[in-house]
């Protein structure tokens, strides 16, 4: 089974180092500046902790943020060094708002709350486009993953409404791995990353990564195109993904919930180059009668306000219920 319309590539996936520190037993989000990695654990202990790792998977220091998130699921690094933590997990579909935490290297942070336009969603993937706009990708058990972004500039203290801007065309695969052996599990989106130049977006599931070229900067449109799929076989609960600045793709898995003692950070060299934009197509056919494009109204412009750069059926529901690992104690 494979994703309809997608191409498949199988480059080498190599282990880089082993994560053994219990502080990252539930490693859920990853980012890289090329020299060091930044990671968040999927846990609720009353603080937001971002672990700084060397390239041997050893934690060298901890950035401690004095805020109490509910369920941080992903991490993105902006060009200015700001780390954006996606506090968007909602296994029980109970949150009135989700949140983004903009964290400086010294641990100071700004909190931005967001609301969906169409009810509650569980989401584990954050993408930040080259204009600094955050895109949240949901974890859907039925139907396609949905993409949301803020309709205006982020404001502290006042929730910002979001709009749905895309549906992602991925489906189940036969790649082994994940917490359960079922095709539903293989299409649940668990993490996201953007290349340093903003030209490639990556979304991962428990078992595969999907690479989308973004040649013109329009991330929403890119996420509705056919991606290149790269299998990440054998990860017990793969939720973290990042790009090194040179285009190397990094992936990592939790290990704590399966009774394991370690997991590996893995690398796919040159992954960003695998996402090749489609060749442009042209036509000289005259427009059909009654479809004169010159008479059509102009396309509406993107009116998003500038804001801080931030850098089936019952079986599926039973499966996702089995993946709920804990109840979050309180909303941030």
């Amino acid at each position: 089974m494979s994703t309809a319309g997608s191409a498949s590539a199988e480059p080498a996936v190599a282990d880089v180092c082993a994560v053994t520190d219990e502080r990252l037993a539930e490693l859920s989000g990853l980012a890289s500046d090329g020299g060091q990695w930044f990671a968040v654990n999927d846990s609720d202990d009353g603080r937001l902790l971002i672990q700084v790792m060397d390239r041997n998977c050893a934690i060298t220091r901890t950035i401690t943020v004095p805020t109490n998130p509910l369920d941080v699921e992903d991490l993105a690094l902006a060009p200015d060094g700001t780390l954006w933590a996606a506090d968007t997990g909602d296994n029980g579909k109970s949150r009135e708002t989700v949140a983004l935490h903009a964290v400086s290297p010294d641990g100071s942070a700004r909190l931005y709350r967001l609301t969906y336009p169409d009810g509650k969603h569980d989401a584990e993937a954050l993408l930040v486009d080259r204009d600094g706009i955050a895109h949240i990708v949901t974890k859907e058990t039925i139907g396609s993953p949905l993409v949301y972004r803020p309709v205006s500039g982020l404001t502290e203290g006042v929730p910002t409404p979001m709009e749905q801007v895309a549906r992602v065309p991925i489906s189940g695969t036969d790649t082994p791995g994940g917490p359960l052996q079922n095709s539903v599990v293989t299409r649940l989106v668990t993490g996201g990353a953007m290349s340093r130049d903003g030209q490639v977006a990556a979304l991962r599931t428990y078992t595969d990564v999907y690479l989308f070229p973004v040649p013109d900067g329009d991330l929403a449109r890119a996420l509705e195109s056919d991606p290149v799929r790269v299998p990440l076989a054998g990860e017990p609960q793969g939720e973290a993904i990042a790009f090194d600045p040179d285009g190397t793709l990094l992936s990592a898995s939790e290990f704590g919930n399966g009774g394991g003692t370690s997991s590996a950070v893995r690398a796919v060299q040159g992954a960003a180059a695998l996402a090749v934009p489609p060749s442009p197509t042209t036509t000289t056919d005259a427009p059909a009668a009654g479809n004169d494009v010159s008479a059509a109204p102009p396309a509406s412009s993107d009116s998003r306000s500038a804001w801080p750069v931030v850098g089936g059926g019952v079986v599926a529901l039973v499966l996702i219920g089995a993946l709920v690992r804990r109840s979050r104690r309180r909303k941030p």
Side-chain angles (χ1 to χ4, degrees):
M1 186 185 304
S2 62
T3 300
S6 67
S8 181
E10 297 197 20
V13 182
D15 290 358
V16 178
C17 55
V19 180
T20 59
D21 196 306
E22 287 293 328
R23 288 174 289 179
L24 289 174
E26 297 178 22
L27 199 164
S28 183
L30 190 66
S32 172
D33 66 4
Q36 57 191 352
W37 301 328
F38 305 88
V40 290
N41 210 42
D42 181 7
S43 64
D44 177 15
D45 62 1
R47 299 173 297 171
L48 171 56
L49 302 175
I50 299 177
Q51 308 296 346
V52 183
M53 307 165 64
D54 64 22
R55 299 185 73 89
N56 294 314
C57 289
I59 294 175
T60 59
R61 64 187 177 94
T62 301
I63 301 172
T64 302
V65 182
T67 188
N68 186 6
L70 188 65
D71 190 358
V72 174
E73 291 285 0
D74 209 355
L75 195 64
L77 177 64
D80 66 357
T82 300
L83 288 158
W84 289 85
D87 184 5
T88 56
D90 191 10
N91 289 321
K93 305 292 179 64
S94 61
R95 302 181 65 170
E96 296 299 327
T97 65
V98 293
L100 295 174
H101 303 264
V103 182
S104 299
D106 63 3
S108 60
R110 303 181 304 280
L111 171 63
Y112 302 103
R113 299 188 187 277
L114 306 104
T115 58
Y116 292 103
D118 54 358
K120 302 172 178 66
H121 295 274
D122 186 26
E124 297 189 4
L126 174 66
L127 297 170
V128 179
D129 70 14
R130 66 188 187 192
D131 293 325
I133 307 298
H135 293 62
I136 293 170
V137 184
T138 63
K139 185 180 184 181
E140 301 291 336
T141 58
I142 301 174
S144 300
L146 306 176
V147 184
Y148 295 85
R149 70 184 178 204
V151 300
S152 63
L154 299 178
T155 304
E156 291 184 83
V158 179
T160 299
M162 293 189 290
E163 59 182 343
Q164 183 191 324
V165 294
R167 290 176 178 266
V168 185
I170 63 175
S171 58
T173 74
D174 56 7
T175 306
L180 295 172
Q181 297 300 309
N182 187 281
S183 64
V184 173
V185 171
T186 68
R187 62 178 179 80
L188 299 177
V189 173
T190 61
M194 293 293 297
S195 62
R196 172 64 66 90
D197 61 7
Q199 295 286 300
V200 179
L203 291 175
R204 74 159 300 154
T205 66
Y206 287 116
T207 57
D208 301 86
V209 61
Y210 296 85
L211 304 171
F212 300 82
V214 194
D216 59 0
D218 189 340
L219 179 56
R221 184 170 67 176
L223 292 174
E224 291 194 323
S225 66
D226 294 330
V228 173
R229 179 175 67 92
V230 176
L232 297 173
E235 295 191 3
Q237 192 158 323
E239 297 195 10
I241 199 166
F243 278 107
D244 270 337
D246 67 358
T248 296
L249 186 77
L250 304 169
S251 74
S253 174
E254 297 188 7
F255 64 83
N257 289 306
T261 58
S262 68
S263 63
V265 172
R266 308 165 81 196
V268 181
Q269 296 287 337
L274 298 175
V276 179
S279 301
T281 58
T282 59
T283 179
T284 58
D285 294 341
N291 290 320
D292 185 354
V293 294
S294 66
S300 60
S301 61
D302 187 346
S303 59
R304 290 174 288 163
S305 301
W307 54 289
V309 172
V310 297
V314 174
V315 174
L317 293 175
V318 170
L319 287 169
I320 194 61
L323 296 177
V324 176
R325 298 177 298 280
R326 68 190 62 81
S327 296
R328 300 293 170 176
R329 292 192 290 275
R330 59 190 179 93
K331 187 170 66 177

